[in-house]
Amino acid sequence: MATPTTTPSAPPTGRVADKVCVVTGAGSGIGRAIAHRLAEEGGKVLCADLSENTARETAAEITAAGGVAEGRAVDVSSSAEVDAMVEAAVARWGRVDVLVNNAGVNLPGLLHEVPDDIIDKTLDVNVKGQLYGCRAVIPHMLTAGGGSIVNISSVNGLVSEPFLTVYSASKGASVMLTKGVALDYVKQGIRCNVICPGWVDTPINHAHAKLLGGLEHVYDTIDSFQPIGRPGQPREIANVALFLASDEASFMTGSVVAVDGGMTSQ
Ligand code: ADP
């Protein structure tokens, strides 16, 4: 199936109007698309990324399109930096209504060849980064009487693939930390849900593609693992993140939402 060049979206109706949103990993791929989608629907978006330049680029794109956004650097593996990111959003806009924990790394390899620093980095960014993010926004959401946290895991939080033991371990943890937060704060109006994207066309997959025989080979054979027969586009994940962030998803918490072209239906 041909990859669509545009992703259908309903005309903007202010689905997150005036909500203060923080998006990590907003400088690229899925995070950038989520930042755009939230801004298109009226959110004020703090775009944060390890790369300050790409975070500011995303914010500049949003501002140029008439939205409200700021960019800043964050290393989500540092709890102090995550706290400072959340405090910056509160200082600028008074509260945080939506957190999207999207920043992530995928450093593939066979487990017996993976050194300590790669295991540490994967868990520090993908697991601790999401825990730090949730921990930093929860007090503000409790004060405000609620909020929505959207964690970005992966299909590899549900099923593994060759070379992805460490990544899969981290993404499985993302699914479970989501359920933990959902349960502990459900009575206080904080919803926490997790998206498990399939193979999406972003740089995070490039190292994995290399081990599988190259990106071209992966895309030629994508039917064998992603039944829809094409890679997903970042905006196709962002549409779901927007929905979960919005009040339209008011009955959803602790939900694990696969957005994967049928991959986990096999
Ligand atoms: P995907 O969009 O599929 O998640 P990308 O590689 O395009 O994959 O995007 C991941 C984003 O996460 C990048 O912009 C990257 O800079 C960011 N990122 C990676 N590590 C960190 C980190 N420690 N702190 C903040 N952002 C990070």
Side-chain angles (χ1 to χ4, degrees), residues 24-33 49 54-55 58 102 202-204 234:
T24 68
S28 170
I30 292 171
R32 176 169 278 183
D49 201 287
T54 60
T58 303
N102 164 80
T202 72
I204 205 170

Side-chain angles (χ1 to χ4, degrees), residues 29-164:
I30 292 171
R32 176 169 278 183
I34 291 171
H36 274 284
R37 208 65 195 89
L38 291 168
E40 285 163 18
E41 291 288 338
K44 299 168 183 162
V45 186
L46 183 63
C47 306
D49 201 287
L50 192 58
S51 155
E52 183 170 2
N53 281 346
T54 60
R56 287 189 185 278
E57 235 172 62
T58 303
E61 288 171 6
I62 289 172
T63 309
V68 179
E70 287 191 2
R72 71 177 272 133
V74 71
D75 178 351
V76 299
S77 66
S78 154
S79 65
E81 289 194 28
V82 172
D83 289 348
M85 168 188 75
V86 169
E87 289 312 321
V90 173
R92 180 73 181 82
W93 291 308
R95 56 183 200 281
V96 176
D97 302 300
V98 172
L99 169 68
V100 182
N101 272 321
N102 164 80
V105 291
N106 184 358
L107 305 163
L110 291 175
L111 184 58
H112 74 283
E113 295 170 350
V114 177
D116 285 1
D117 60 327
I118 296 290
I119 294 178
D120 288 344
K121 183 168 183 185
T122 305
L123 299 181
D124 285 352
V125 175
N126 295 3
V127 183
K128 288 189 190 172
Q130 296 199 351
L131 288 169
Y132 293 153
C134 295
R135 189 178 64 180
V137 294
I138 285 168
H140 297 287
M141 291 181 172
L142 288 174
T143 303
S148 175
I149 299 171
V150 181
N151 292 325
I152 306 300
S153 173
S154 161
V155 281
N156 302 120
L158 308 170
V159 295
S160 198
E161 289 174 78
F163 308 111
L164 295 188

